[in-house]
Amino acid sequence: MAGEIGLFEAMATMRAMRRLRPDPVPDELIWKVLEAATKAPSGGNRQPWHFVVVRDAATKKFIQERYLAALQQYAEAGMKALAEGKVRLSAEDAEAQMRTARAGFYLAEHLAEVPVLVLVGADRDAALDVGGSVGEVSGVYASVYPAVQNLLLACRGLGLGAVLTTLHLLYEEEIKMRLGIPPRIFLAAMIPVGYPEGRFGPVRRRPVEEVTHWERWGERRARPG
């Protein structure tokens, strides 16, 4: 097991790891990342999250078949958008997207071999009725994704590869039925977890100066130093 690293290093190097080895991940590490997830903040401290840990080979295969089908639909929609000119990419961005697409298909084709799948559920019954769906989204879903981020950071800190995925939602009802998940639970994320084949390293993001506005939209400042 890799030694634990600092928080800021974890955030700066937490790449989406889609190429994962089939080597078993000890239960003690899974418990550790799940406990880290439960330390996340939530609206009113209602803690609407639930975690379903899947190791069973047949169940992983069931999920993998649907995940791959969903990715194929997603890829076809992306190609159509490019062909119709709805999406325009620079050569650099197109190359980066191709790398991501190859890694994405690798994950989809090998998902059943990933040692652990963690499905993160959001309990709609934790929502407050504030006169519409906004309360449900802000009070429940937004309370679950910090737990997802905690889980991902904990994986990085322990040397485990992981990635946030949502394509399973195209087949959510089938997956919920297979896992016995009640209707009130929304499967907000699925996180494959395993030891990475590749290396962690600096993530590629837009410079903070490009996305930060001071006092009013469009007001920029140069970063000191």
Side-chain angles (χ1 to χ4, degrees):
M1 182 180 72
E4 296 185 28
I5 62 174
L7 174 62
F8 283 90
E9 182 182 351
M11 289 190 291
T13 61
M14 192 181 69
R15 288 178 174 171
M17 291 298 190
R18 297 179 175 88
R19 299 178 188 272
L20 302 170
R21 305 201 306 265
D23 309 48
V25 176
D27 278 354
E28 64 180 290
L29 297 188
I30 299 303
W31 281 115
K32 192 163 188 175
V33 300
L34 291 173
E35 185 173 18
T38 65
K39 304 305 182 186
S42 62
N45 198 29
R46 291 192 295 279
Q47 306 173 52
W49 44 67
H50 290 270
F51 307 95
V52 181
V53 179
V54 177
R55 289 187 183 272
D56 178 72
T59 302
K60 288 191 294 183
K61 182 64 175 176
F62 177 89
I63 295 173
Q64 183 260 332
E65 290 169 351
R66 283 146 187 82
Y67 187 90
L68 179 57
L71 180 57
Q72 289 168 338
Q73 295 175 53
Y74 182 82
E76 289 170 5
M79 294 298 293
K80 181 180 179 182
L82 279 171
E84 294 175 350
K86 295 178 180 178
V87 177
R88 291 181 173 84
L89 299 173
S90 66
E92 183 180 357
D93 288 341
E95 182 180 352
Q97 287 211 3
M98 284 301 296
R99 287 196 301 268
T100 300
R102 286 193 293 269
F105 270 99
Y106 180 91
L107 174 64
E109 291 164 357
H110 295 83
L111 193 66
E113 301 164 23
V114 172
V116 181
L117 303 180
V118 179
L119 288 99
V120 185
D123 190 341
R124 288 190 175 100
D125 282 358
L128 295 179
D129 184 1
V130 293
S133 62
V134 172
E136 181 177 347
V137 172
S138 63
V140 178
Y141 302 165
S143 291
V144 166
Y145 287 111
V148 171
Q149 180 72 351
N150 270 18
L151 196 156
L152 292 170
L153 285 169
C155 285
R156 172 63 190 98
L158 294 170
L160 294 169
V163 58
L164 167 60
T165 71
T166 56
L167 285 172
H168 65 284
L169 290 172
L170 289 181
Y171 294 91
E172 181 185 17
E173 293 308 315
E174 290 183 38
I175 293 172
K176 285 170 62 172
M177 185 174 297
R178 172 78 178 218
L179 298 176
I181 297 173
R184 73 176 194 277
I185 303 297
F186 168 75
L187 292 181
M190 181 177 71
I191 304 173
V193 178
Y195 293 103
E197 289 189 359
R199 298 179 179 178
F200 294 105
V203 298
R204 298 180 180 90
R205 300 291 187 267
R206 294 166 60 188
V208 64
E209 297 87 351
E210 290 185 9
V211 296
T212 303
H213 310 261
W214 293 86
E215 311 299 347
R216 291 176 59 82
W217 187 270
E219 295 292 332
R220 308 289 190 182
R221 291 185 187 176
R223 187 172 180 174

